[in-house]
């Protein structure tokens, strides 16, 4: 009886831990390179705060009522009257051995309004936007590194030909 109860409490703990886990990724690049990649990805959003020294980017509230209603149109939930979200991106400098690395964390605060009597309430994000932003940042850094290698190789070839 005791073992059954402990398994269910672990499942509850696991659900809570997954719910509050903020998507993040560690990049093997410098802080400045990672910051520039984050800025490049976030340029399509309306930014409210952009502070490189603190490593924080915040967006203004963005309306996503149509997207939320369309995505859940085949689900069991009712459509929402209004929906909005805000993104908070943190970039932190660190070291792995002697190599500089940067950790990027993306937090999405999603709010919905079912009707005007209930008001706005916070709902958990599905995590898709956060993971796609981290993937895009990774691709920008990867492309940037490949371009740097090509430039270094080209400069070596020109130096040897001279």
């Amino acid at each position: 009886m005791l073992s059954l109860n402990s398994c269910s409490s672990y499942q509850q703990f696991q659900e809570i831990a997954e719910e509050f886990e903020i998507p993040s990724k560690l990049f093997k690049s410098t802080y400045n390179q990672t910051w520039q990649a984050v800025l490049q990805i976030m340029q399509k959003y309306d930014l409210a705060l952009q502070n490189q020294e603190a490593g924080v980017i915040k967006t203004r509230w963005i309306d996503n009522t149509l997207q939320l209603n369309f995505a859940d149109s085949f689900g069991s939930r009712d459509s929402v009257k209004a929906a909005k979200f805000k993104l908070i991106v943190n970039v932190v400098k660190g070291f792995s051995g002697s190599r500089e690395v940067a950790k990027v964390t993306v937090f999405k605060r999603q709010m919905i309004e079912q009707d005007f009597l209930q008001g706005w309430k916070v709902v958990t994000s599905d995590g898709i936007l956060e993971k796609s932003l981290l993937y895009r940042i990774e691709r920008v850094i990867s492309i940037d590194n490949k371009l740097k290698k090509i430039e270094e190789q080209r400069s070596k070839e020109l130096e040897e030909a001279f």
Side-chain angles (χ1 to χ4, degrees):
M1 187 77 154
L2 181 62
S3 65
L4 292 175
N5 189 20
S6 65
C7 289
S8 67
S9 65
Y10 175 73
Q11 288 175 344
Q12 290 173 346
F13 171 76
Q14 187 177 10
E15 289 173 6
I16 290 171
E18 288 174 359
E19 181 178 329
F20 290 113
E21 187 175 320
I22 299 173
S24 64
K25 188 162 181 91
L26 189 69
F27 296 103
K28 294 178 182 176
S29 62
T30 65
Y31 177 81
N32 288 331
Q33 183 183 15
T34 306
W35 180 260
Q36 292 303 318
V38 170
L39 282 180
Q40 186 175 345
I41 296 302
M42 296 299 292
Q43 71 184 1
K44 77 173 209 169
Y45 296 101
D46 186 17
L47 301 181
L49 175 69
Q50 173 183 327
N51 187 341
Q52 185 174 359
E53 291 176 7
V56 178
I57 296 175
K58 291 183 183 179
T59 64
R60 290 186 171 78
W61 287 104
I62 301 165
D63 184 89
N64 68 333
T65 307
L66 294 174
Q67 293 89 350
L68 201 63
N69 283 333
F70 177 75
D72 199 42
S73 62
F74 301 108
S76 60
R77 291 192 320 177
D78 294 333
S79 62
V80 295
K81 177 182 168 254
K84 61 183 178 179
F85 72 94
K86 178 186 278 196
L87 292 171
I88 301 169
V89 181
N90 289 321
V91 182
V92 180
K93 181 180 182 177
F95 290 94
S96 175
S98 62
R99 183 178 180 159
E100 184 178 343
V101 294
K103 182 178 181 180
V104 178
T105 306
V106 181
F107 177 71
K108 178 181 175 186
R109 182 178 173 134
Q110 177 72 55
M111 296 183 76
I112 61 168
E113 185 179 28
Q114 294 292 109
D115 57 37
F116 68 93
L117 295 175
Q118 290 180 346
W120 291 96
K121 66 178 181 177
V122 177
V123 294
T124 56
S125 172
D126 56 6
I128 295 172
L129 178 63
E130 297 94 312
K131 290 176 184 171
S132 66
L133 288 174
L134 290 171
Y135 173 77
R136 290 177 191 163
I137 293 166
E138 181 180 27
R139 295 306 306 156
V140 167
I141 291 172
S142 173
I143 291 169
D144 189 38
N145 287 338
K146 286 179 182 177
L147 288 173
K148 283 181 183 177
K149 280 185 180 180
I150 291 170
E151 285 296 320
E152 287 174 6
Q153 192 175 24
R154 180 179 281 168
S155 67
K156 279 184 180 178
E157 289 173 358
L158 289 174
E159 199 173 280
E160 289 173 0
F162 186 67

